[in-house]
Amino acid sequence: MTHSDAPTTAFAWTALGGDPRLLPRLSTVVRSGALEARLPVRELARASVGACALAAAELGARRAGLSEVSEVRVDDGAVATAFVSERHLLVDGRAPVTFAPLSRFWRTADGWVRTHANYPHHRARLLGALGLPDGASAEAVAGCLAERPAVEVEDAVYAAGGLAVALRTPEEWARHEQGAAVAGQPLVERGALGSAVPRRLPPLAGDPLSPAAGLRVLDLTRVIAGPVATRTLALLGADVLRVDPPGLPELADQHTDTGFGKRSATLDLTAGRHDRQVFEELLASADVVVTGYRPGALDRFGLSAEALAERRPGIVVGQLSAWGAYGPWGGRRGFDSLVQVATGIASIEGSEEKPGALPAQALDHGTGYLLAAGVLRAVTEGLDEGGARFVRPALARTAAWLTAGDGAGRGGAPAEASRSGTTTAASGSAEGPSEGSYSDSGSAEASYGDPAPWLAEADSALGRLRYALPPVSFAGGPGDWSRPPGPWGADSPRWV
């Protein structure tokens, strides 16, 4: 696949409803060796971050009364480091725990299956579906799976509420009913939900320029993609309050990595009137609600996009899913690693001996930045047009963008995919943008190796943290989060 066939910022920006005339404000620091893979992972990462940074600069210029949108620079080094932020995290020198022993590839009677069992309840459901006792060893699981067909395992584990996906090639996924449903959708679904007066936000001033300052964001997300989106909104000045049910704690290291800039509280919406009333009071003054649970899972709490828009006119609703809210898998749970397996990515990146994986959980991170960009663009549109809005990306749709072999993910890049500056990195420094070069392409002369320039350290209530700096960058914008993460569920459920 050539650079010109890869995902482009221009396509992502147009899919988000962005004005193509702003694309020349974007320049890229190109570094070879960043996120190397058979698929154009570096280009997808660059495009999703670039679209998010441009959306932030656009909103910042609008609120600050600037006549011109700030220049945006996307550095492959910063992007590559941020896309594996969970691997760079250190807590008092300790490396994080990423995948549990039962979250892996397994041979089956006719191929391969991948399971996800990082959470205790998912592990219990996996073992139950296989007829194995709690505490069963990896060897026992391997022996059980080796005797069963992959799709049979996939169906049985999902029926039990667990997570397992059979390995498919891209061709097999294209023939699958869910694959066809995903391919027919835009990169990011977006639209209006009723009418309201145009949104009013106070003007911005100061250094750095924080485009999302004053916005209140209810963060009802988990794992990586959704928390990456809300972590980005927090970087840009939003008051982000993550709310979780008290009996379902997030994995500690995962929460730390994606908790920068936010506060974390717990509320039980099923237990009684008090917590529900507190939540409704939060919602009454929220500007944005971002959800990351499987489609329909929160509807019983009145948290569908339509119900939210009715109770809070003018709200922006971001809804993230693994497979999309359509097709036969529309209500299924999923994670980046599983979407890679179903959509053919693991087949492409693997060998005859074993399936492979991307060099990062790029579907999670890329979709997270697309979601943040969609929210920012929806806020900007609301300043002119009013009305509530929804933004719906899906990991599987991002996967289609990556694997399709063209700039659009289906049907080719748009004509507006034009000429922002491309900077070539040399010996760790960036020269000025070259004139007339393609926005997301270019021949890089230097390699990406040491991530140290894009790492930082800070003290926190959790200990001394080493972490990846945010890759979203524009002239005059913030370079780091205003606060480190704190313990899960330790904050009061109220706005600052």
Side-chain angles (χ1 to χ4, degrees):
M1 182 177 293
T2 65
H3 282 295
S4 60
D5 294 328
T8 65
T9 307
F11 177 75
W13 181 244
T14 304
L16 292 163
D19 184 347
R21 292 174 296 181
L22 294 181
L23 287 168
R25 305 302 296 165
L26 174 71
S27 64
T28 304
V29 181
V30 178
R31 300 179 191 270
S32 65
L35 299 173
E36 286 190 321
R38 292 173 182 168
L39 289 165
V41 180
R42 179 183 65 169
E43 288 73 21
L44 179 143
R46 181 194 297 156
S48 57
V49 171
C52 185
L54 195 55
E58 177 193 33
L59 177 58
R62 176 65 185 276
R63 294 187 63 191
L66 302 177
S67 59
E68 192 171 56
V69 171
S70 297
E71 292 184 353
V72 172
R73 171 170 287 188
V74 179
D75 190 312
D76 283 349
V79 172
T81 304
F83 263 58
V84 289
S85 61
E86 63 273 13
R87 299 181 203 169
H88 289 301
L89 177 71
L90 293 178
V91 182
D92 285 334
R94 178 186 60 81
V97 176
T98 52
F99 285 97
L102 298 188
S103 296
R104 47 172 273 198
F105 284 108
W106 310 85
R107 275 201 176 275
T108 64
D110 61 350
W112 293 88
V113 70
R114 181 152 191 169
T115 56
H116 194 287
N118 284 3
Y119 290 95
H121 58 292
H122 289 156
R123 185 181 188 278
R125 292 168 186 172
L126 169 65
L127 294 175
L130 300 179
L132 297 172
D134 189 29
S137 67
E139 290 75 17
V141 174
C144 179
L145 292 177
E147 299 175 352
R148 302 176 66 173
V151 173
E152 178 185 299
V153 172
E154 176 183 274
D155 291 340
V157 173
Y158 264 105
L163 292 138
V165 169
L167 178 72
R168 291 174 173 83
T169 65
E171 295 76 19
E172 289 170 334
W173 179 245
R175 293 193 297 269
H176 192 279
E177 190 176 349
Q178 187 63 30
V182 168
Q185 297 295 324
L187 179 61
V188 179
E189 294 180 84
R190 47 191 297 276
L193 294 164
S195 60
V197 296
R199 178 185 297 273
R200 291 183 178 275
L201 291 174
L204 294 179
D207 184 19
L209 188 65
S210 299
L215 291 177
R216 291 174 167 176
V217 179
L218 269 178
D219 178 3
L220 309 180
T221 68
R222 297 180 67 80
V223 195
I224 296 177
V228 163
T230 51
R231 180 181 71 181
T232 303
L233 297 175
L235 167 75
L236 299 170
D239 179 9
V240 179
L241 179 64
R242 173 163 168 167
V243 177
D244 287 283
L248 196 63
E250 181 63 282
L251 301 175
D253 291 332
Q254 205 158 256
H255 174 75
T256 301
D257 176 53
T258 59
F260 284 86
K262 310 179 194 178
R263 292 174 299 114
S264 170
T266 61
L267 289 172
D268 189 345
L269 302 186
T270 66
R273 298 176 62 180
H274 177 265
D275 280 13
R276 186 56 191 262
Q277 181 179 348
V278 171
F279 182 83
E280 291 296 326
E281 290 171 354
L282 290 170
L283 178 61
S285 56
D287 300 288
V288 179
V289 174
V290 183
T291 67
Y293 293 77
R294 61 187 175 86
L298 299 178
D299 289 3
R300 61 193 173 115
F301 301 116
L303 297 177
S304 68
E306 293 75 15
L308 287 167
E310 184 176 341
R311 280 140 69 207
R312 179 68 171 144
I315 199 165
V316 173
V317 183
Q319 295 176 306
L320 174 77
S321 64
W323 309 104
Y326 40 75
W329 287 16
R332 287 195 177 192
R333 300 174 179 87
F335 294 92
D336 181 306
S337 59
L338 302 183
V339 176
Q340 288 189 40
V341 172
T343 59
I345 290 172
S347 176
I348 293 171
E349 295 292 339
S351 65
E352 293 183 3
E353 290 75 32
K354 188 176 181 180
L358 299 176
Q361 295 190 70
L363 305 181
D364 263 333
H365 286 270
T367 307
Y369 289 109
L370 290 174
L371 175 55
V375 168
L376 294 166
R377 290 246 57 256
V379 172
T380 299
E381 291 174 339
L383 295 175
D384 293 323
E385 303 167 14
R389 281 173 165 70
F390 69 87
V391 180
R392 294 184 186 128
L395 302 187
R397 185 60 190 86
T398 303
W401 188 34
L402 177 65
T403 59
D406 56 54
R410 57 185 174 95
E416 293 87 357
S418 58
R419 317 189 208 325
S420 309
T422 297
T423 303
T424 298
S427 303
S429 63
E431 300 173 353
S434 57
E435 293 184 1
S437 53
Y438 187 70
S439 61
D440 289 80
S441 307
S443 299
E445 301 295 335
S447 62
Y448 167 73
D450 184 5
W454 303 285
L455 297 175
E457 293 191 4
D459 290 318
S460 75
L462 302 170
R464 183 71 176 174
L465 303 180
R466 187 194 73 178
Y467 61 97
L469 288 166
V472 173
S473 176
F474 62 95
D480 200 350
W481 289 277
S482 61
R483 55 179 289 160
W488 178 83
D491 295 298
S492 298
R494 59 181 178 80
W495 299 116
V496 172

